[in-house]
Amino acid sequence: MLTLKPKLVPLLFSMLLSAPFSHAASIRLAGPEGVADVVSDDDTTMKLAAGLLRRDLEAVSGKAPRSLAADHLAECTRVCVVIGRHDSPLLRQLAQSEHLDFSSLRGEWERYVRVSQPSRSKPGVQLLVIAGSDARGAVYGAVDLGRELGVSAWEWWADVRPAARSVAEVRADRIVSERPSVQYRGVFLNDEDWGLQPWAAKTFDPSGDIGPATYARVFELLWRLKANLIWPAMHDSTKPFYQMPGNAQAARDYAIVVGTSHAEPMMRNNVREWKKSDGAFNFFTNRDALVRYWQQRVDEVKDFENFYSMGIRGVHDSAMEGATTLDEARVGVSSVIDIQRGMLAKARPGPVPQALTLYKEVLDIYNSGLKPPDDITLIWPDDNYGYLHQLSTPGEAARSGGAGLYYHISYWGRPHDYLWLGTTHPGLIRDQLQRAAATGTRKVWVVNVGDIKPGEYLTQYFLDLAFDHRLLERGANAHLQAWFAAQFGAAQAPAMAAIMQEYYNLAWERRPEFMGFSQTEPTTPTRQSDYLRSGGDEAEQRLARYQALVLRAQAIGAALPAASQDAYFQLVLYPVRASANLNARILKLDLAAQYARMGRPSAQLYARQAQAAQAAIVADTARYNALGGGKWRGMMDAAPRRLPVFDAPAFPSYGSAGRSGCALAYPTPLSAQGGTLAFTRGRAESKTVTLIQYGAQQQAWSATSIPAGMSLSAGKGALNEENGYEQRIEVHYDGSAGTGATLRFACGADQLQARLQWTPGAAEGVATEHERIITLPAATGTATAGWSAIDLGSFGTGMRSDFALPSRDAAAPGAAPSLLYRFHSHSKGAAQIKLVAVPVHPLISANKLRIAVSLDGEPPATLDYATVGRSDEWKNNVLTNTAVRTIALADLPPGPHTLQVYALDPGFILDRIEVSFDGAPKYYGKPATAAARTLP
């Protein structure tokens, strides 16, 4: 039995309550005796909300509720669900006849009261009344009731079917909903050329474009996600929102606020609406034409609920035309805003929501001294890759217009798109939105969702955090697990969440779309992966992680009921397999070329497997588009923008290398210990050695001598065409003190001995060398107050300097919060300390992004991680999710050492520290560790 206090419903997701309540204080909405009637105000929005609830009740119970108009309330029998605004005639009448008090809702924003009681005026009838402070408040009451019945927000958009029930009950407690944490919460439909627009045009919408049928479904999804704002799709592929009959009316019917993106001031879609015949989009030379253009739209939409984007940029996501200096741009934008505000003041009396989005060059204009009117909301954007550029100072947060943010989980542009799969790490979203909440960014939050699919979970996570900031206090994985429980039930939720957590972790290291190591704008060709820099084993380990992930995902999917298969494919299986297959196609092809140069017969096998991976992407994408009898035809495109990373390459054929016999290959051939298996005494870990039959002859093999304290993933086997005449063998060392030095194999007539290299260990809790590298995960340091752990980074946990910290003088960091690390080195000679951070930006304009580092008590060195614009450094940072500073040491003597890291600014996130000596392997990601390796 699950009992929740009403005020905790938003926090713990009423959507999770997917099982029938056995709570004594419950009300039965459906059962053998029938299903509740649903009554609503005569208002269009309330009728739509009542229709949504009726659909949810029918989906759960199999029984269709009656729809009763407000003046037929007396016809209710047994159970009557009533939905409306608290001040509507229907609710006022009900309040009087049933002695209900909704006075607490006066003047509130998007809240509701839900009350259940026997009817006083009609004995034998049970009432469940949802009274909203406004239309959206009532809608959210209906949405929460549907969630309590077990209906997912994604019941239509991802085909998540609720569990059928013979009896459907909900709590009878009085519920007073919480205020939304952010006033305006919404999505930007963007870069829709490859999914949403072709799907709407060819499959779903009678208009042949993203029209009112599509927007009705989008608005219903926003209801279910408790969002209230839309920035409509606006690419050249799509007819503008206000030129499509029915779109604006649909927004009004669903009580959705319409805004426009940073590139579309005054509700204008410049890409399709500004004509060449209108002249240059230049305020300095063509002012009158621009003013007429804006005025026309203001007149058309003045009676709708809108959130106006102010200012001016180029026609489409480009800088303002005509300004040759920053001062000219600032003066021009200020004049534009004055004119636009004059238009709005004449068109509509009273306050009109207005925002200035400080995107790209507009942020530079603002920081140069632009002073927008106090009631204009400042919208802070991220850098397109999930890192908020800048947030409000206390003074900016106190402005009457407040502050908002614009965030991406999908992006088209340089240095590389990520339009295909939703891969932004939830831990990053949480961290960035914590920053926003901590700096008073509460007016409007908008997320660029691309085509909506396949970013379903990330969209909901963002909007859940926007609606209820208390969720920011919970780890991202807790939300992920709760979400899967809502979609598929509690039994499989932990396993599904673990799969997707690994999916996000792998993409954190490198998104699938970035695996070609190419860039765009300008577009460059793909090149060999940096995962081969140490010789190939890092690529093999990444492939093994993906393979294990796919097998886990497929096993869970196979056990799900038929009704869950389509939803599971969309939400889990397709993104997991697609990511794995693109990695396999790229890495296996690179490995094939490298192995061919080494004379390894497996080169041909790897080339075939790369080709099979490409074919699997094509097949899975076709399956996606065929789901539901073709419901999603045109929605999924596995090669958006046709960038080089998606191109099917030539798959080579490799011949015999002319070599014979068996031999062993080691993990990191391009390093000082390349011809050995390197272990550290006392440290449990696994390494891979590969047994190869170079003559491509079928051959049996076996391990003939295994040292004490070691075990193998396989003790014998056969080398044949099926495995490319080679076998990767995991050698596991259990960390025991007594270890031999001989690991031998027999391969036909060949007797092979693996060369083992042992380095000394260190005291418990003290890091030591491994492959000439000492790796210090951020969370392993001893922290003073001012540093906090966060669920983000290459080891799953980073250390973040607290947001409330002041920026400090770099010359005197002694009083700053510190992290202390102890390590022991054994090599002697030149070394470097690499401090790897998460590439966040300074928290506010008053801060920098610095740490100070002291080795063995020496005077601290200051490291500044701030980047400038779209520099090459910034591009590398966002492609790798790392920011790196390096300290070169001419000579680091063997022995114990301490390293102290001081926080000089708030919001800095340390990922890990690496101390490496010359000759160490060069890894793309974090150095190989016991925790990072994956057994087959």
Side-chain angles (χ1 to χ4, degrees):
M1 182 175 72
L2 180 59
T3 305
L4 299 178
K5 295 181 180 179
K7 69 177 182 179
L8 294 182
V9 171
L11 179 61
L12 298 180
F13 310 119
S14 57
M15 66 179 181
L16 295 182
L17 309 179
S18 54
F21 273 92
S22 58
H23 193 289
S26 62
I27 179 170
R28 180 175 292 188
L29 299 184
E33 67 279 12
V35 64
D37 297 322
V38 180
V39 185
S40 70
D41 287 342
D42 290 331
D43 173 81
T44 300
T45 305
M46 292 301 93
K47 289 180 178 179
L48 289 168
L52 186 76
L53 182 56
R54 286 196 301 272
R55 202 172 82 210
D56 289 353
L57 275 167
E58 184 174 7
V60 170
S61 69
K63 299 178 174 68
R66 287 194 302 164
S67 172
L68 298 177
D71 56 357
H72 289 261
L73 177 62
E75 297 177 21
C76 271
T77 60
R78 199 182 68 81
V79 179
C80 186
V81 180
V82 183
I83 305 171
R85 289 178 55 118
H86 77 284
D87 55 358
S88 69
L90 172 63
L91 270 291
R92 287 202 305 267
Q93 172 194 338
L94 204 62
Q96 184 176 10
S97 63
E98 300 295 337
H99 299 177
L100 299 174
D101 182 9
F102 302 131
S103 60
S104 63
L105 293 173
R106 292 192 194 108
E108 290 286 350
W109 179 268
E110 296 180 352
R111 299 185 72 188
Y112 69 86
V113 169
R114 188 176 106 188
V115 61
S116 174
Q117 67 180 39
S119 173
R120 296 173 182 269
S121 60
K122 192 172 181 181
V125 172
Q126 185 78 12
L127 294 173
L128 192 155
V129 182
I130 299 171
S133 61
D134 46 29
R136 288 189 292 268
V139 166
Y140 298 156
V143 165
D144 275 345
L145 191 62
R147 288 183 175 187
E148 198 169 332
L149 290 166
V151 178
S152 167
W154 301 97
E155 54 85 35
W156 192 87
W157 277 96
D159 303 308
V160 179
R161 299 186 187 178
R165 302 181 188 173
S166 58
V167 174
E169 295 180 337
V170 296
R171 285 167 302 137
D173 315 52
R174 178 183 172 88
I175 295 174
V176 180
S177 70
E178 297 288 341
R179 295 180 183 87
S181 298
V182 174
Q183 185 175 7
Y184 293 97
R185 309 160 308 280
V187 302
F188 179 22
L189 306 179
N190 195 217
D191 309 324
E192 68 275 10
D193 313 49
W194 310 103
L196 189 64
Q197 198 282 332
W199 166 79
K202 299 175 184 177
T203 301
F204 182 72
D205 204 304
S207 71
D209 210 322
I210 303 179
T214 303
Y215 275 110
R217 284 295 184 179
V218 172
F219 297 154
E220 185 181 281
L221 176 64
L222 295 184
W223 275 9
R224 292 190 181 277
L225 296 174
K226 296 188 179 178
N228 58 15
L229 175 67
I230 186 77
W231 287 1
M234 44 72 75
H235 267 218
D236 193 43
S237 62
T238 306
K239 192 171 183 179
F241 182 82
Y242 285 110
Q243 290 186 4
M244 182 66 70
N247 279 358
Q249 186 59 45
R252 171 179 279 169
D253 290 346
Y254 281 87
I256 296 297
V257 183
V258 180
T260 48
S261 72
H262 52 84
E264 304 169 273
M266 301 303 284
M267 313 302 292
R268 275 295 197 175
N269 179 328
N270 302 323
V271 174
R272 291 278 293 264
E273 293 186 331
W274 182 260
K275 307 301 182 185
K276 287 185 178 180
S277 59
D278 295 327
F281 199 79
N282 187 320
F283 178 73
F284 301 98
T285 62
N286 200 16
R287 176 181 302 209
D288 291 345
L290 279 166
V291 171
R292 287 194 301 271
Y293 173 71
W294 292 328
Q295 185 68 60
Q296 180 185 8
R297 180 53 43 80
V298 169
D299 293 341
E300 291 170 352
V301 304
K302 63 183 180 181
D303 295 327
F304 291 82
E305 191 176 6
N306 298 316
F307 202 129
Y308 290 84
S309 288
M310 311 297 282
I312 185 170
R313 300 189 69 225
V315 169
H316 178 60
D317 202 7
S318 58
M320 177 185 187
E321 294 182 22
T324 57
T325 67
L326 201 57
D327 287 343
E328 286 181 356
R330 184 178 62 253
V331 172
V333 170
S334 182
S335 298
V336 165
I337 291 174
D338 287 344
I339 292 170
Q340 292 169 341
R341 284 169 62 81
M343 292 180 185
L344 294 177
K346 291 178 182 179
R348 187 169 181 171
V352 177
Q354 303 166 33
L356 179 65
T357 302
L358 306 175
Y359 188 74
K360 294 184 178 176
E361 81 289 341
V362 183
L363 180 60
D364 295 330
I365 295 170
Y366 174 78
N367 285 333
S368 75
L370 180 68
K371 301 295 183 185
D374 196 67
D375 61 341
I376 287 184
T377 302
L378 301 178
I379 296 185
W380 305 106
D382 68 347
D383 61 2
N384 304 317
Y385 293 84
Y387 297 97
L388 290 164
H389 256 308
Q390 184 175 314
L391 288 161
S392 299
T393 63
E396 289 165 335
R399 298 170 67 258
S400 63
L405 66 85
Y406 168 46
Y407 197 79
H408 290 76
I409 60 168
S410 174
Y411 181 64
W412 166 327
R414 64 180 183 270
H416 203 285
D417 304 358
Y418 56 100
L419 300 173
W420 180 30
L421 301 173
T423 52
T424 301
H425 200 288
L428 177 62
I429 295 175
R430 180 184 178 223
D431 165 73
Q432 295 295 298
L433 298 188
Q434 284 178 325
R435 293 166 188 266
T439 53
T441 305
R442 296 175 179 270
K443 185 71 172 182
V444 53
W445 287 11
V446 179
V447 59
N448 184 326
V449 299
D451 297 308
I452 298 177
K453 301 173 70 61
E456 296 95 336
Y457 171 68
L458 298 178
T459 299
Q460 177 143 10
Y461 188 40
F462 178 95
L463 291 173
D464 282 351
L465 296 178
F467 192 84
D468 187 352
H469 280 1
R470 293 172 298 179
L471 297 176
L472 289 166
E473 300 168 10
R474 305 175 67 201
N477 195 55
H479 185 282
L480 183 63
Q481 185 169 320
W483 188 79
F484 274 112
Q487 316 311 312
F488 299 104
Q492 294 286 5
M496 290 179 182
I499 287 168
M500 292 307 289
Q501 185 69 34
E502 176 73 347
Y503 164 83
Y504 292 122
N505 288 343
L506 284 158
W508 172 258
E509 192 173 278
R510 190 91 183 179
R511 292 186 196 260
E513 295 92 337
F514 302 168
M515 284 299 296
F517 286 83
S518 54
Q519 295 190 20
T520 192
E521 298 182 14
T523 299
T524 62
T526 60
R527 63 172 177 82
Q528 178 176 286
S529 170
D530 284 353
Y531 280 94
L532 272 69
R533 290 196 303 179
S534 64
D537 196 64
E538 189 179 15
E540 293 278 14
Q541 289 294 331
R542 183 168 175 85
L543 289 169
R545 287 176 68 186
Y546 266 121
Q547 181 184 26
L549 189 63
V550 168
L551 292 175
R552 288 162 57 196
Q554 291 178 164
I556 289 176
L560 292 176
S564 298
Q565 291 296 325
D566 282 6
Y568 186 74
F569 186 79
Q570 292 168 65
L571 299 175
V572 177
L573 204 53
Y574 182 83
V576 165
R577 287 211 302 225
S579 297
N581 281 319
L582 186 60
N583 273 265
R585 192 207 78 198
I586 291 170
L587 293 178
K588 283 184 178 289
L589 207 57
D590 283 352
L591 286 167
Q594 178 153 306
Y595 291 167
R597 291 191 292 269
M598 298 167 67
R600 291 168 61 165
S602 61
Q604 188 58 51
L605 173 65
Y606 275 62
R608 288 199 305 270
Q609 290 174 338
Q611 189 168 16
Q614 177 65 26
I617 293 172
V618 173
D620 274 353
T621 303
R623 176 181 169 185
Y624 195 116
N625 288 315
L627 291 173
K631 174 182 177 180
W632 298 114
R633 180 172 57 89
M635 177 61 80
M636 183 53 62
D637 189 317
R641 280 232 285 169
R642 308 299 182 255
L643 294 181
V645 68
F646 300 121
D647 291 343
F651 294 99
S653 178
Y654 296 105
S656 172
R659 182 178 172 184
S660 61
C662 295
L664 296 173
Y666 296 91
T668 55
L670 306 180
S671 66
Q673 64 279 341
T676 64
L677 288 178
F679 293 97
T680 302
R681 292 193 185 278
R683 170 179 164 166
E685 58 185 313
S686 296
K687 286 296 186 68
T688 302
V689 66
T690 304
L691 188 58
I692 305 169
Q693 217 295 328
Y694 278 94
Q697 301 293 316
Q698 184 163 318
Q699 190 70 70
W701 68 270
S702 62
T704 58
S705 177
I706 304 174
M710 287 190 164
S711 59
L712 307 181
S713 58
K716 60 181 179 180
L719 308 180
N720 51 41
E721 184 178 9
E722 185 177 340
N723 56 28
Y725 301 98
E726 62 181 54
Q727 173 83 53
R728 284 173 56 80
I729 304 165
E730 288 283 348
V731 181
H732 179 70
Y733 164 51
D734 65 10
S736 59
T739 55
T742 305
L743 173 59
R744 292 194 176 95
F745 300 92
C747 183
D750 295 320
Q751 300 296 313
L752 308 174
Q753 179 174 328
R755 293 185 291 277
L756 305 180
Q757 182 184 85
W758 295 94
T759 56
E764 184 70 25
V766 177
T768 189
E769 274 187 62
H770 181 64
E771 298 181 334
R772 301 178 68 81
I773 303 174
I774 302 157
T775 304
L776 304 167
T780 61
T782 301
T784 63
W787 287 97
S788 302
I790 182 170
D791 49 354
L792 188 64
S794 57
F795 285 95
T797 306
M799 295 300 292
R800 183 178 68 192
S801 58
D802 293 351
F803 300 141
L805 292 176
S807 288
R808 297 175 184 270
D809 185 353
S818 69
L819 296 167
L820 178 64
Y821 299 90
R822 301 183 186 278
F823 65 91
H824 198 287
S825 63
H826 302 287
S827 297
K828 178 177 174 55
Q832 63 174 7
I833 303 175
K834 185 165 75 170
L835 295 107
V836 181
V838 175
V840 299
H841 298 287
L843 185 64
I844 62 175
S845 57
N847 300 135
K848 296 180 180 179
L849 193 65
R850 302 160 302 151
I851 56 173
V853 181
S854 171
L855 176 66
D856 295 333
E858 292 293 320
T862 300
L863 305 177
D864 192 334
Y865 284 75
T867 55
V868 178
R870 293 187 163 198
S871 63
D872 287 343
E873 179 188 10
W874 169 81
K875 291 176 184 177
N876 185 68
N877 285 0
V878 296
L879 292 172
T880 62
N881 283 316
T882 63
V884 179
R885 294 290 181 267
T886 301
I887 299 173
L889 304 174
D891 181 56
L892 182 65
H897 302 278
T898 60
L899 187 68
Q900 202 150 8
V901 178
Y902 298 93
L904 301 181
D905 293 290
F908 179 89
I909 302 177
L910 183 65
D911 180 319
R912 66 183 187 269
I913 302 169
E914 299 170 21
V915 183
S916 60
F917 292 87
D918 290 347
K922 302 296 183 184
Y923 291 109
Y924 164 80
K926 63 187 177 186
T929 65
R933 301 180 67 82
T934 304
L935 291 171

